Amino acid sequence: MRFIHETLPSRVVFRAGALDDLAPETARLGSRAFIVSTPGQKALGEHCAGLLGSSAIAVHDKAMMHTPADCVRAAVTRATQLDADCLVAIGGGSTIGLAKAIAFERRLPILAIPTTYSGSEVTPIWGYTDNGIKHVARDAHTQPRTVIYDPVLTLKLPPKVSGPSGVNAIAHCVEALYAEAANPLVSQMAEEGIRALGHSLPVVIENPSDLHARSEALYGAWLGGCVLAAVGMALHHKLCHVLGGAFNLPHAETHTVVLPHAAAYNASAAPEAMTRIARALGDRDAPRALFNLNESIGATLSLRDLGMPEDGIEHAVALATKSPFYNPAPVTADGVRRLLRNAWEGGAP
Ligand code: NAD
């Protein structure tokens, strides 16, 4: 056995109703909080401002999927003009991603309050999009210093967002199991993350207000984010970034469609990972179990139905194979073409 394991410090407060702790938790980081949300989550941002009182200097409700570079520039300018000394990000991965982009430019600490299952709140990684290309950046300073996990905030997350978002976190766990830097601790966390999400997501879809299932899903998302932060990813994440950047496809839904096919691509090269995934999902065949989970949560199953044009497959193959990256199975243009064709059509892997 041989590995290096490194984690960045992060304070995690997890409980139903934990948002009540926002003021004292924010006070640990600063006294001029710039609150970030999407337009759809503005009311939650304003609720945070109410909880913070005079320590809240603005609610910046301009976060967007895939974090366009223009959106980053506007947010950095506003945070600078208002002399923010800390950031409060309340929302999904897009909101937390914008906060990280500001934190990177302004060297500000982030308090993150996730309301989806993206896992972004515990990673020092963020993406931004410029001219149709999604770039991924990593900087230790952008890892949120404090995370408030309050499952009550996820009760209103619609089933059609909840399911794919949870599968996005499962995707972090799946790729962590066969990552180049995989290690025994991360693999335990990844398997447990898949188990927690595989168990809770169908319940969440059936009964979105089940607080117990929501807590288990958020716990799985935390594990997904932790393993994403700890070890690198592989072909699946690469493809999803390419597809998101090139065709503006919705992030979590794209992960959901591609994951069973990416797992099938790597199945023979990563047998131990497949054993863990299948065990976590109570099945024998990992790619098939992932596909079955997608069906059981009523997810969109094809890239075609997400709006990807068929003639985009070749463009995606070219982008994904342009520069080499780690993957357990060799990455070939033919292999990626087959994978994307299957994902575009949406049949079982
Ligand atoms: P998102 O943040 O774009 O949210 C999806 C939609 O759900 C938005 O319209 C949002 O307003 C709404 N929403 C969020 N919480 C809600 C709630 N509780 N109730 C009702 N509506 C709610 O989607 P996402 O999938 O969370 O994040 C995607 C982005 O995150 C992508 O840009 C992706 O690259 C990034 N991401 C980053 C990491 C990382 O570690 N850096 C990990 C995963 C995803």
Side-chain angles (χ1 to χ4, degrees):
M1 206 176 285
R2 198 186 153 111
F3 58 84
I4 296 173
H5 182 76
E6 191 180 349
T7 48
L8 294 168
S10 139
R11 176 179 165 89
V12 170
V13 180
F14 192 124
R15 73 160 206 282
L19 189 61
D20 293 348
D21 296 353
L22 181 62
E25 290 296 336
T26 304
R28 298 168 64 97
L29 303 181
S31 57
R32 295 182 60 75
F34 187 80
I35 301 167
V36 184
S37 76
T38 57
Q41 300 297 297
K42 187 177 182 182
L44 261 185
E46 283 171 348
H47 178 62
C48 289
L51 291 172
L52 291 178
S54 59
S55 298
I57 54 166
V59 177
H60 187 77
D61 65 333
K62 304 282 187 284
M64 286 169 71
M65 183 78 75
H66 302 308
T67 319
D70 289 353
C71 162
V72 173
R73 280 189 283 273
V76 169
T77 302
R78 193 168 174 213
T80 308
Q81 282 166 350
L82 292 172
D83 196 22
D85 68 2
C86 66
L87 302 165
V88 170
I90 183 155
S94 301
T95 301
I96 296 167
L98 178 59
K100 287 175 181 175
I102 306 169
F104 176 68
E105 296 288 339
R106 302 293 307 155
R107 301 279 115 184
L108 299 178
I110 302 175
L111 184 152
I113 310 155
T115 61
T116 69
Y117 306 126
S118 78
S120 175
E121 65 280 358
V122 283
T123 80
I125 308 161
W126 75 103
Y128 61 94
T129 312
D130 212 359
N131 288 327
I133 303 284
K134 186 152 182 178
H135 304 272
V136 179
R138 186 178 187 114
D139 183 283
H141 193 89
T142 67
Q143 167 139 333
R145 301 269 182 91
T146 303
V147 183
I148 293 181
Y149 283 107
D150 184 347
V152 172
L153 298 174
T154 63
L155 293 177
K156 295 227 167 74
L157 190 66
K160 70 176 192 338
V161 183
S162 302
S165 181
V167 177
N168 186 191
I170 291 179
H172 305 333
C173 297
V174 165
E175 292 230 298
L177 288 168
Y178 55 62
E180 192 171 23
N183 75 53
L185 175 62
V186 163
S187 295
Q188 293 284 355
M189 292 165 74
E191 185 174 341
E192 171 64 358
I194 297 170
R195 187 210 58 73
L197 285 155
H199 179 254
S200 57
L201 287 182
V203 185
V204 159
I205 302 306
E206 181 77 22
N207 181 7
S209 58
D210 184 324
L211 188 58
H212 184 74
R214 288 291 192 178
S215 296
E216 191 179 25
L218 204 53
Y219 159 66
W222 173 55
L223 291 169
C226 288
V227 301
L228 171 64
V231 295
M233 295 285 125
L235 178 63
H236 170 77
H237 279 73
K238 172 76 180 181
L239 283 178
C240 293
H241 283 144
V242 162
L243 295 170
F247 308 107
N248 197 28
L249 300 186
H251 180 84
E253 288 79 355
T254 304
H255 270 272
T256 303
V257 169
V258 173
L259 186 61
H261 303 284
Y265 190 102
N266 282 324
S268 56
E272 280 178 34
M274 297 301 134
T275 302
R276 282 187 181 268
I277 297 163
R279 184 167 60 206
L281 294 174
D283 204 315
R284 284 192 176 166
D285 180 76
R288 186 74 211 204
L290 291 165
F291 186 80
N292 292 346
L293 176 65
N294 286 351
E295 279 191 315
S296 78
I297 60 172
T300 301
L301 299 175
S302 71
L303 292 175
R304 172 177 43 207
D305 288 346
L306 290 184
M308 179 181 171
E310 186 172 8
D311 62 8
I313 293 177
E314 270 319 304
H315 182 49
V317 171
L319 286 175
T321 55
K322 203 161 124 192
S323 42
F325 57 90
Y326 170 80
N327 190 61
V331 177
T332 65
D334 277 350
V336 171
R337 190 175 292 115
R338 265 195 305 278
L339 187 170
L340 286 175
R341 163 66 53 188
N342 290 344
W344 189 81
E345 289 173 357

mmCIF file of all heavy atoms in Angstrom, residues 183-228:
data_model
loop_
_atom_site.group_PDB
_atom_site.id
_atom_site.type_symbol
_atom_site.label_atom_id
_atom_site.label_comp_id
_atom_site.label_asym_id
_atom_site.label_seq_id
_atom_site.Cartn_x
_atom_site.Cartn_y
_atom_site.Cartn_z
ATOM 1 N N ASN A 183 -7.061 6.242 -2.293
ATOM 2 C CA ASN A 183 -6.435 5.637 -1.115
ATOM 3 C C ASN A 183 -7.513 4.980 -0.256
ATOM 4 O O ASN A 183 -8.709 5.207 -0.468
ATOM 5 C CB ASN A 183 -5.567 6.672 -0.365
ATOM 6 C CG ASN A 183 -6.383 7.670 0.429
ATOM 7 O OD1 ASN A 183 -7.232 7.290 1.235
ATOM 8 N ND2 ASN A 183 -6.128 8.955 0.207
ATOM 9 N N PRO A 184 -7.132 4.132 0.692
ATOM 10 C CA PRO A 184 -8.134 3.332 1.418
ATOM 11 C C PRO A 184 -9.171 4.160 2.176
ATOM 12 O O PRO A 184 -10.346 3.781 2.211
ATOM 13 C CB PRO A 184 -7.289 2.504 2.402
ATOM 14 C CG PRO A 184 -5.908 2.541 1.868
ATOM 15 C CD PRO A 184 -5.758 3.798 1.092
ATOM 16 N N LEU A 185 -8.737 5.278 2.771
ATOM 17 C CA LEU A 185 -9.698 6.096 3.517
ATOM 18 C C LEU A 185 -10.727 6.712 2.563
ATOM 19 O O LEU A 185 -11.943 6.668 2.791
ATOM 20 C CB LEU A 185 -8.968 7.199 4.299
ATOM 21 C CG LEU A 185 -9.859 8.198 5.030
ATOM 22 C CD1 LEU A 185 -10.701 7.510 6.100
ATOM 23 C CD2 LEU A 185 -9.035 9.315 5.655
ATOM 24 N N VAL A 186 -10.222 7.274 1.472
ATOM 25 C CA VAL A 186 -11.112 7.898 0.487
ATOM 26 C C VAL A 186 -12.073 6.855 -0.091
ATOM 27 O O VAL A 186 -13.263 7.129 -0.299
ATOM 28 C CB VAL A 186 -10.262 8.584 -0.617
ATOM 29 C CG1 VAL A 186 -11.095 8.877 -1.854
ATOM 30 C CG2 VAL A 186 -9.673 9.875 -0.067
ATOM 31 N N SER A 187 -11.583 5.636 -0.324
ATOM 32 C CA SER A 187 -12.463 4.600 -0.891
ATOM 33 C C SER A 187 -13.589 4.240 0.077
ATOM 34 O O SER A 187 -14.723 4.006 -0.342
ATOM 35 C CB SER A 187 -11.652 3.354 -1.264
ATOM 36 O OG SER A 187 -10.752 3.686 -2.300
ATOM 37 N N GLN A 188 -13.274 4.196 1.382
ATOM 38 C CA GLN A 188 -14.329 3.926 2.368
ATOM 39 C C GLN A 188 -15.394 5.027 2.326
ATOM 40 O O GLN A 188 -16.594 4.757 2.362
ATOM 41 C CB GLN A 188 -13.750 3.906 3.796
ATOM 42 C CG GLN A 188 -12.806 2.770 4.093
ATOM 43 C CD GLN A 188 -13.550 1.460 4.317
ATOM 44 O OE1 GLN A 188 -14.777 1.428 4.338
ATOM 45 N NE2 GLN A 188 -12.816 0.374 4.434
ATOM 46 N N MET A 189 -14.906 6.264 2.271
ATOM 47 C CA MET A 189 -15.844 7.397 2.244
ATOM 48 C C MET A 189 -16.668 7.382 0.960
ATOM 49 O O MET A 189 -17.873 7.649 0.971
ATOM 50 C CB MET A 189 -15.064 8.721 2.349
ATOM 51 C CG MET A 189 -14.404 8.923 3.701
ATOM 52 S SD MET A 189 -13.172 10.235 3.635
ATOM 53 C CE MET A 189 -14.196 11.677 3.553
ATOM 54 N N ALA A 190 -16.017 7.039 -0.144
ATOM 55 C CA ALA A 190 -16.714 7.038 -1.437
ATOM 56 C C ALA A 190 -17.799 5.960 -1.452
ATOM 57 O O ALA A 190 -18.931 6.206 -1.891
ATOM 58 C CB ALA A 190 -15.711 6.810 -2.568
ATOM 59 N N GLU A 191 -17.462 4.789 -0.957
ATOM 60 C CA GLU A 191 -18.469 3.708 -0.951
ATOM 61 C C GLU A 191 -19.651 4.093 -0.053
ATOM 62 O O GLU A 191 -20.819 3.893 -0.412
ATOM 63 C CB GLU A 191 -17.839 2.386 -0.494
ATOM 64 C CG GLU A 191 -18.832 1.236 -0.588
ATOM 65 C CD GLU A 191 -18.223 -0.130 -0.275
ATOM 66 O OE1 GLU A 191 -16.986 -0.288 -0.318
ATOM 67 O OE2 GLU A 191 -19.012 -1.047 0.017
ATOM 68 N N GLU A 192 -19.335 4.674 1.092
ATOM 69 C CA GLU A 192 -20.406 5.097 2.006
ATOM 70 C C GLU A 192 -21.255 6.219 1.380
ATOM 71 O O GLU A 192 -22.478 6.270 1.555
ATOM 72 C CB GLU A 192 -19.787 5.545 3.345
ATOM 73 C CG GLU A 192 -20.713 6.220 4.333
ATOM 74 C CD GLU A 192 -21.853 5.344 4.875
ATOM 75 O OE1 GLU A 192 -21.989 4.181 4.467
ATOM 76 O OE2 GLU A 192 -22.634 5.876 5.685
ATOM 77 N N GLY A 193 -20.604 7.101 0.630
ATOM 78 C CA GLY A 193 -21.351 8.172 -0.052
ATOM 79 C C GLY A 193 -22.322 7.594 -1.071
ATOM 80 O O GLY A 193 -23.483 8.028 -1.160
ATOM 81 N N ILE A 194 -21.864 6.608 -1.832
ATOM 82 C CA ILE A 194 -22.749 5.985 -2.843
ATOM 83 C C ILE A 194 -23.905 5.285 -2.127
ATOM 84 O O ILE A 194 -25.067 5.384 -2.542
ATOM 85 C CB ILE A 194 -21.964 4.986 -3.724
ATOM 86 C CG1 ILE A 194 -20.877 5.721 -4.500
ATOM 87 C CG2 ILE A 194 -22.906 4.250 -4.684
ATOM 88 C CD1 ILE A 194 -19.884 4.802 -5.220
ATOM 89 N N ARG A 195 -23.583 4.604 -1.026
ATOM 90 C CA ARG A 195 -24.642 3.897 -0.286
ATOM 91 C C ARG A 195 -25.690 4.890 0.230
ATOM 92 O O ARG A 195 -26.898 4.695 0.058
ATOM 93 C CB ARG A 195 -24.040 3.107 0.888
ATOM 94 C CG ARG A 195 -25.056 2.219 1.604
ATOM 95 C CD ARG A 195 -24.742 2.038 3.069
ATOM 96 N NE ARG A 195 -24.670 3.270 3.839
ATOM 97 C CZ ARG A 195 -25.725 4.013 4.192
ATOM 98 N NH1 ARG A 195 -26.947 3.652 3.860
ATOM 99 N NH2 ARG A 195 -25.557 5.135 4.883
ATOM 100 N N ALA A 196 -25.197 5.955 0.860
ATOM 101 C CA ALA A 196 -26.130 6.931 1.463
ATOM 102 C C ALA A 196 -27.025 7.561 0.395
ATOM 103 O O ALA A 196 -28.240 7.696 0.582
ATOM 104 C CB ALA A 196 -25.343 8.007 2.211
ATOM 105 N N LEU A 197 -26.429 7.937 -0.724
ATOM 106 C CA LEU A 197 -27.224 8.586 -1.777
ATOM 107 C C LEU A 197 -28.107 7.585 -2.512
ATOM 108 O O LEU A 197 -29.262 7.883 -2.832
ATOM 109 C CB LEU A 197 -26.291 9.314 -2.750
ATOM 110 C CG LEU A 197 -25.720 10.615 -2.168
ATOM 111 C CD1 LEU A 197 -24.408 10.998 -2.830
ATOM 112 C CD2 LEU A 197 -26.739 11.749 -2.307
ATOM 113 N N GLY A 198 -27.556 6.387 -2.777
ATOM 114 C CA GLY A 198 -28.352 5.370 -3.465
ATOM 115 C C GLY A 198 -29.575 4.987 -2.651
ATOM 116 O O GLY A 198 -30.650 4.717 -3.190
ATOM 117 N N HIS A 199 -29.424 4.998 -1.319
ATOM 118 C CA HIS A 199 -30.539 4.658 -0.437
ATOM 119 C C HIS A 199 -31.535 5.806 -0.316
ATOM 120 O O HIS A 199 -32.753 5.612 -0.362
ATOM 121 C CB HIS A 199 -29.975 4.287 0.946
ATOM 122 C CG HIS A 199 -31.040 3.943 1.939
ATOM 123 N ND1 HIS A 199 -31.401 4.780 2.966
ATOM 124 C CD2 HIS A 199 -31.838 2.859 2.038
ATOM 125 C CE1 HIS A 199 -32.373 4.218 3.667
ATOM 126 N NE2 HIS A 199 -32.664 3.055 3.132
ATOM 127 N N SER A 200 -31.024 7.035 -0.194
ATOM 128 C CA SER A 200 -31.923 8.151 0.122
ATOM 129 C C SER A 200 -32.591 8.791 -1.093
ATOM 130 O O SER A 200 -33.724 9.280 -0.984
ATOM 131 C CB SER A 200 -31.156 9.229 0.897
ATOM 132 O OG SER A 200 -30.046 9.658 0.144
ATOM 133 N N LEU A 201 -31.915 8.797 -2.241
ATOM 134 C CA LEU A 201 -32.482 9.554 -3.374
ATOM 135 C C LEU A 201 -33.870 9.071 -3.804
ATOM 136 O O LEU A 201 -34.780 9.892 -3.996
ATOM 137 C CB LEU A 201 -31.519 9.561 -4.579
ATOM 138 C CG LEU A 201 -30.283 10.458 -4.426
ATOM 139 C CD1 LEU A 201 -29.438 10.410 -5.695
ATOM 140 C CD2 LEU A 201 -30.666 11.898 -4.101
ATOM 141 N N PRO A 202 -34.089 7.747 -3.964
ATOM 142 C CA PRO A 202 -35.442 7.334 -4.346
ATOM 143 C C PRO A 202 -36.493 7.771 -3.315
ATOM 144 O O PRO A 202 -37.621 8.120 -3.676
ATOM 145 C CB PRO A 202 -35.332 5.796 -4.417
ATOM 146 C CG PRO A 202 -33.879 5.544 -4.695
ATOM 147 C CD PRO A 202 -33.153 6.609 -3.931
ATOM 148 N N VAL A 203 -36.115 7.800 -2.029
ATOM 149 C CA VAL A 203 -37.059 8.234 -0.987
ATOM 150 C C VAL A 203 -37.341 9.734 -1.133
ATOM 151 O O VAL A 203 -38.486 10.193 -1.034
ATOM 152 C CB VAL A 203 -36.512 7.928 0.432
ATOM 153 C CG1 VAL A 203 -37.547 8.270 1.499
ATOM 154 C CG2 VAL A 203 -36.055 6.487 0.546
ATOM 155 N N VAL A 204 -36.269 10.495 -1.384
ATOM 156 C CA VAL A 204 -36.410 11.945 -1.559
ATOM 157 C C VAL A 204 -37.334 12.264 -2.741
ATOM 158 O O VAL A 204 -38.170 13.176 -2.668
ATOM 159 C CB VAL A 204 -35.005 12.578 -1.779
ATOM 160 C CG1 VAL A 204 -35.087 13.934 -2.448
ATOM 161 C CG2 VAL A 204 -34.256 12.676 -0.453
ATOM 162 N N ILE A 205 -37.193 11.492 -3.824
ATOM 163 C CA ILE A 205 -38.031 11.740 -5.015
ATOM 164 C C ILE A 205 -39.497 11.412 -4.688
ATOM 165 O O ILE A 205 -40.414 12.127 -5.071
ATOM 166 C CB ILE A 205 -37.547 10.876 -6.214
ATOM 167 C CG1 ILE A 205 -36.085 11.174 -6.532
ATOM 168 C CG2 ILE A 205 -38.438 11.057 -7.436
ATOM 169 C CD1 ILE A 205 -35.736 12.616 -6.762
ATOM 170 N N GLU A 206 -39.678 10.326 -3.960
ATOM 171 C CA GLU A 206 -41.026 9.881 -3.591
ATOM 172 C C GLU A 206 -41.669 10.860 -2.592
ATOM 173 O O GLU A 206 -42.831 11.200 -2.711
ATOM 174 C CB GLU A 206 -40.893 8.478 -2.953
ATOM 175 C CG GLU A 206 -42.163 7.806 -2.514
ATOM 176 C CD GLU A 206 -42.946 7.232 -3.685
ATOM 177 O OE1 GLU A 206 -42.323 6.986 -4.740
ATOM 178 O OE2 GLU A 206 -44.167 7.071 -3.530
ATOM 179 N N ASN A 207 -40.872 11.299 -1.638
ATOM 180 C CA ASN A 207 -41.402 12.181 -0.594
ATOM 181 C C ASN A 207 -40.378 13.286 -0.279
ATOM 182 O O ASN A 207 -39.569 13.158 0.639
ATOM 183 C CB ASN A 207 -41.701 11.357 0.674
ATOM 184 C CG ASN A 207 -42.281 12.229 1.768
ATOM 185 O OD1 ASN A 207 -42.588 13.408 1.547
ATOM 186 N ND2 ASN A 207 -42.413 11.670 2.952
ATOM 187 N N PRO A 208 -40.414 14.377 -1.075
ATOM 188 C CA PRO A 208 -39.394 15.425 -0.937
ATOM 189 C C PRO A 208 -39.304 16.023 0.461
ATOM 190 O O PRO A 208 -38.270 16.585 0.825
ATOM 191 C CB PRO A 208 -39.848 16.484 -1.943
ATOM 192 C CG PRO A 208 -40.708 15.761 -2.917
ATOM 193 C CD PRO A 208 -41.379 14.648 -2.151
ATOM 194 N N SER A 209 -40.351 15.900 1.265
ATOM 195 C CA SER A 209 -40.278 16.525 2.592
ATOM 196 C C SER A 209 -39.849 15.541 3.693
ATOM 197 O O SER A 209 -39.981 15.849 4.879
ATOM 198 C CB SER A 209 -41.615 17.179 2.941
ATOM 199 O OG SER A 209 -42.618 16.195 2.895
ATOM 200 N N ASP A 210 -39.321 14.393 3.303
ATOM 201 C CA ASP A 210 -38.818 13.424 4.293
ATOM 202 C C ASP A 210 -37.457 13.918 4.819
ATOM 203 O O ASP A 210 -36.424 13.794 4.142
ATOM 204 C CB ASP A 210 -38.676 12.048 3.617
ATOM 205 C CG ASP A 210 -38.246 10.963 4.606
ATOM 206 O OD1 ASP A 210 -37.445 11.265 5.510
ATOM 207 O OD2 ASP A 210 -38.695 9.813 4.443
ATOM 208 N N LEU A 211 -37.476 14.495 6.008
ATOM 209 C CA LEU A 211 -36.265 15.135 6.544
ATOM 210 C C LEU A 211 -35.146 14.121 6.789
ATOM 211 O O LEU A 211 -33.963 14.431 6.601
ATOM 212 C CB LEU A 211 -36.598 15.892 7.842
ATOM 213 C CG LEU A 211 -35.489 16.752 8.420
ATOM 214 C CD1 LEU A 211 -35.000 17.809 7.423
ATOM 215 C CD2 LEU A 211 -35.948 17.435 9.708
ATOM 216 N N HIS A 212 -35.519 12.902 7.167
ATOM 217 C CA HIS A 212 -34.508 11.883 7.417
ATOM 218 C C HIS A 212 -33.772 11.548 6.109
ATOM 219 O O HIS A 212 -32.530 11.500 6.069
ATOM 220 C CB HIS A 212 -35.171 10.636 8.018
ATOM 221 C CG HIS A 212 -34.182 9.586 8.383
ATOM 222 N ND1 HIS A 212 -33.356 9.688 9.482
ATOM 223 C CD2 HIS A 212 -33.845 8.428 7.763
ATOM 224 C CE1 HIS A 212 -32.561 8.642 9.532
ATOM 225 N NE2 HIS A 212 -32.839 7.855 8.505
ATOM 226 N N ALA A 213 -34.537 11.330 5.033
ATOM 227 C CA ALA A 213 -33.911 11.022 3.735
ATOM 228 C C ALA A 213 -33.097 12.218 3.236
ATOM 229 O O ALA A 213 -32.008 12.060 2.675
ATOM 230 C CB ALA A 213 -34.988 10.637 2.717
ATOM 231 N N ARG A 214 -33.628 13.426 3.448
ATOM 232 C CA ARG A 214 -32.892 14.631 3.030
ATOM 233 C C ARG A 214 -31.557 14.726 3.780
ATOM 234 O O ARG A 214 -30.539 15.116 3.216
ATOM 235 C CB ARG A 214 -33.733 15.880 3.314
ATOM 236 C CG ARG A 214 -34.919 16.066 2.390
ATOM 237 C CD ARG A 214 -34.480 16.395 0.978
ATOM 238 N NE ARG A 214 -35.583 16.855 0.157
ATOM 239 C CZ ARG A 214 -35.437 17.245 -1.108
ATOM 240 N NH1 ARG A 214 -34.250 17.224 -1.703
ATOM 241 N NH2 ARG A 214 -36.475 17.632 -1.807
ATOM 242 N N SER A 215 -31.562 14.363 5.067
ATOM 243 C CA SER A 215 -30.324 14.416 5.860
ATOM 244 C C SER A 215 -29.327 13.387 5.327
ATOM 245 O O SER A 215 -28.133 13.677 5.193
ATOM 246 C CB SER A 215 -30.605 14.112 7.328
ATOM 247 O OG SER A 215 -31.433 15.096 7.864
ATOM 248 N N GLU A 216 -29.833 12.193 5.018
ATOM 249 C CA GLU A 216 -28.929 11.154 4.520
ATOM 250 C C GLU A 216 -28.333 11.553 3.156
ATOM 251 O O GLU A 216 -27.156 11.322 2.882
ATOM 252 C CB GLU A 216 -29.678 9.814 4.401
ATOM 253 C CG GLU A 216 -28.726 8.654 4.157
ATOM 254 C CD GLU A 216 -29.434 7.298 4.052
ATOM 255 O OE1 GLU A 216 -30.624 7.260 3.701
ATOM 256 O OE2 GLU A 216 -28.756 6.277 4.304
ATOM 257 N N ALA A 217 -29.171 12.174 2.314
ATOM 258 C CA ALA A 217 -28.674 12.612 1.000
ATOM 259 C C ALA A 217 -27.606 13.697 1.165
ATOM 260 O O ALA A 217 -26.570 13.686 0.485
ATOM 261 C CB ALA A 217 -29.833 13.111 0.142
ATOM 262 N N LEU A 218 -27.841 14.629 2.103
ATOM 263 C CA LEU A 218 -26.867 15.708 2.298
ATOM 264 C C LEU A 218 -25.559 15.158 2.892
ATOM 265 O O LEU A 218 -24.466 15.609 2.545
ATOM 266 C CB LEU A 218 -27.488 16.775 3.217
ATOM 267 C CG LEU A 218 -26.938 18.195 3.121
ATOM 268 C CD1 LEU A 218 -26.931 18.736 1.700
ATOM 269 C CD2 LEU A 218 -27.734 19.137 4.021
ATOM 270 N N TYR A 219 -25.701 14.163 3.753
ATOM 271 C CA TYR A 219 -24.516 13.484 4.307
ATOM 272 C C TYR A 219 -23.729 12.808 3.155
ATOM 273 O O TYR A 219 -22.492 12.920 3.076
ATOM 274 C CB TYR A 219 -25.001 12.457 5.342
ATOM 275 C CG TYR A 219 -24.043 11.340 5.678
ATOM 276 C CD1 TYR A 219 -22.838 11.591 6.331
ATOM 277 C CD2 TYR A 219 -24.362 10.009 5.357
ATOM 278 C CE1 TYR A 219 -21.967 10.545 6.643
ATOM 279 C CE2 TYR A 219 -23.502 8.971 5.668
ATOM 280 C CZ TYR A 219 -22.311 9.243 6.309
ATOM 281 O OH TYR A 219 -21.453 8.220 6.608
ATOM 282 N N GLY A 220 -24.436 12.159 2.242
ATOM 283 C CA GLY A 220 -23.775 11.534 1.084
ATOM 284 C C GLY A 220 -23.091 12.581 0.214
ATOM 285 O O GLY A 220 -21.987 12.367 -0.296
ATOM 286 N N ALA A 221 -23.748 13.732 0.066
ATOM 287 C CA ALA A 221 -23.164 14.807 -0.743
ATOM 288 C C ALA A 221 -21.878 15.330 -0.097
ATOM 289 O O ALA A 221 -20.891 15.627 -0.784
ATOM 290 C CB ALA A 221 -24.169 15.944 -0.896
ATOM 291 N N TRP A 222 -21.888 15.433 1.230
ATOM 292 C CA TRP A 222 -20.675 15.860 1.951
ATOM 293 C C TRP A 222 -19.520 14.889 1.646
ATOM 294 O O TRP A 222 -18.411 15.301 1.301
ATOM 295 C CB TRP A 222 -20.971 15.907 3.458
ATOM 296 C CG TRP A 222 -19.772 16.169 4.319
ATOM 297 C CD1 TRP A 222 -18.910 17.219 4.220
ATOM 298 C CD2 TRP A 222 -19.316 15.357 5.406
ATOM 299 N NE1 TRP A 222 -17.936 17.118 5.191
ATOM 300 C CE2 TRP A 222 -18.161 15.986 5.922
ATOM 301 C CE3 TRP A 222 -19.770 14.184 5.997
ATOM 302 C CZ2 TRP A 222 -17.448 15.460 7.001
ATOM 303 C CZ3 TRP A 222 -19.060 13.665 7.074
ATOM 304 C CH2 TRP A 222 -17.920 14.294 7.558
ATOM 305 N N LEU A 223 -19.830 13.582 1.732
ATOM 306 C CA LEU A 223 -18.795 12.585 1.440
ATOM 307 C C LEU A 223 -18.318 12.721 -0.012
ATOM 308 O O LEU A 223 -17.119 12.643 -0.292
ATOM 309 C CB LEU A 223 -19.336 11.172 1.701
ATOM 310 C CG LEU A 223 -19.579 10.840 3.177
ATOM 311 C CD1 LEU A 223 -20.361 9.536 3.315
ATOM 312 C CD2 LEU A 223 -18.252 10.747 3.930
ATOM 313 N N GLY A 224 -19.264 12.931 -0.927
ATOM 314 C CA GLY A 224 -18.904 13.089 -2.343
ATOM 315 C C GLY A 224 -17.957 14.261 -2.538
ATOM 316 O O GLY A 224 -16.952 14.162 -3.246
ATOM 317 N N GLY A 225 -18.265 15.385 -1.891
ATOM 318 C CA GLY A 225 -17.399 16.554 -2.003
ATOM 319 C C GLY A 225 -16.027 16.286 -1.393
ATOM 320 O O GLY A 225 -14.993 16.652 -1.960
ATOM 321 N N CYS A 226 -16.018 15.609 -0.236
ATOM 322 C CA CYS A 226 -14.733 15.327 0.443
ATOM 323 C C CYS A 226 -13.821 14.481 -0.454
ATOM 324 O O CYS A 226 -12.620 14.744 -0.546
ATOM 325 C CB CYS A 226 -14.971 14.577 1.756
ATOM 326 S SG CYS A 226 -15.687 15.604 3.038
ATOM 327 N N VAL A 227 -14.389 13.473 -1.102
ATOM 328 C CA VAL A 227 -13.512 12.598 -1.913
ATOM 329 C C VAL A 227 -13.094 13.298 -3.206
ATOM 330 O O VAL A 227 -11.984 13.095 -3.694
ATOM 331 C CB VAL A 227 -14.145 11.208 -2.180
ATOM 332 C CG1 VAL A 227 -14.436 10.494 -0.874
ATOM 333 C CG2 VAL A 227 -15.390 11.268 -3.047
ATOM 334 N N LEU A 228 -13.978 14.148 -3.718
ATOM 335 C CA LEU A 228 -13.606 14.931 -4.912
ATOM 336 C C LEU A 228 -12.416 15.837 -4.590
ATOM 337 O O LEU A 228 -11.496 15.994 -5.389
ATOM 338 C CB LEU A 228 -14.811 15.759 -5.373
ATOM 339 C CG LEU A 228 -14.601 16.804 -6.474
ATOM 340 C CD1 LEU A 228 -14.200 16.142 -7.790
ATOM 341 C CD2 LEU A 228 -15.871 17.618 -6.698
#
